[in-house]
Amino acid sequence: PALAPRPVAAAASGARSLSSVTSVMSPSSTSEDAQGPAQPHGGDAQLARAPPSPSCPSAAPPPSRGHGKSRGNEEEEAADDRSVALQLLETLAHDNTVMECNLRDYDTALNVVLEEIERLQAEESELQTASGQADQLRELLARELDAREQLRDENEALTARNMHLRAALAAAAGPLSADHEEDSV
């Protein structure tokens, strides 16, 4: 399953958008002293001066005094904008570092799991081979036990036949041995 990205703290905090940060940090904002406040390009004008979220009080512009802005307030506002931009960049950098660390941790954990899967698959293969060999050995042992039983039965039959033949030989040799003893005396 794909890993869901964690929400970035800077985006969740309601800080100004990245376009407003770039407008604050653009070269035109450094030349405010000569030209007055920097005007963002296109649709960014509303974003740059949008009221900040209540969760980000440090991004709020200082209260204006009267209808006209003095040069000190403009500089203070520009400094505040730069401060907010730096805080946002620091937060983004921190979040990026955390996400990279998490990604490395997930990658390491995934590699460990994959290695464990490979090891277990190899072990399973070895166990299946050993199980097959054990089955073959059981079959061989069963055949050997059958052969041993057969040999025992055959041995008993041959022993009985041997005793029977000896008895017959002794019975047949009895009268002949008496005749043989008379001839030799």
Side-chain angles (χ1 to χ4, degrees):
L3 296 175
R6 291 185 356 192
V8 178
S13 70
R16 293 185 184 186
S17 70
L18 188 57
S19 61
S20 67
V21 171
T22 55
S23 68
V24 169
M25 297 181 65
S26 68
S28 63
S29 68
T30 57
S31 61
E32 281 181 15
D33 296 334
Q35 301 174 357
Q39 296 298 319
H41 303 287
D44 291 344
Q46 289 143 354
L47 288 175
R49 298 294 175 221
S53 144
S55 64
C56 188
S58 64
S64 72
R65 297 180 190 158
H67 293 293
K69 292 184 179 178
S70 69
R71 194 167 210 33
N73 283 343
E74 289 174 3
E75 291 173 2
E76 192 175 304
E77 185 176 326
D80 287 346
D81 286 347
R82 285 187 196 102
S83 173
V84 168
L86 287 175
Q87 288 174 352
L88 179 61
L89 288 175
E90 288 172 0
T91 302
L92 289 173
H94 176 265
D95 289 347
N96 184 52
T97 302
V98 169
M99 287 190 294
E100 285 175 355
C101 290
N102 288 345
L103 185 61
R104 277 193 298 269
D105 292 345
Y106 293 146
D107 188 49
T108 300
L110 181 62
N111 286 334
V112 167
V113 168
L114 291 175
E115 288 172 1
E116 181 70 9
I117 288 171
E118 287 177 6
R119 185 188 67 77
L120 290 173
Q121 285 174 339
E123 189 175 317
E124 178 189 24
S125 176
E126 290 173 4
L127 288 173
Q128 286 177 347
T129 301
S131 176
Q133 290 174 347
D135 289 342
Q136 289 175 349
L137 288 174
R138 276 190 213 98
E139 290 173 9
L140 179 63
L141 183 59
R143 286 195 306 262
E144 292 295 324
L145 287 173
D146 289 343
R148 181 179 174 190
E149 190 66 31
Q150 239 178 356
L151 287 174
R152 188 178 320 163
D153 292 344
E154 191 177 321
N155 186 31
E156 288 175 3
L158 288 175
T159 301
R161 185 173 180 202
N162 187 11
M163 292 171 95
H164 178 68
L165 288 175
R166 282 184 187 221
L169 184 63
L176 286 178
S177 60
D179 288 341
H180 182 59
E181 286 178 13
E182 290 177 10
D183 287 339
S184 56
V185 180

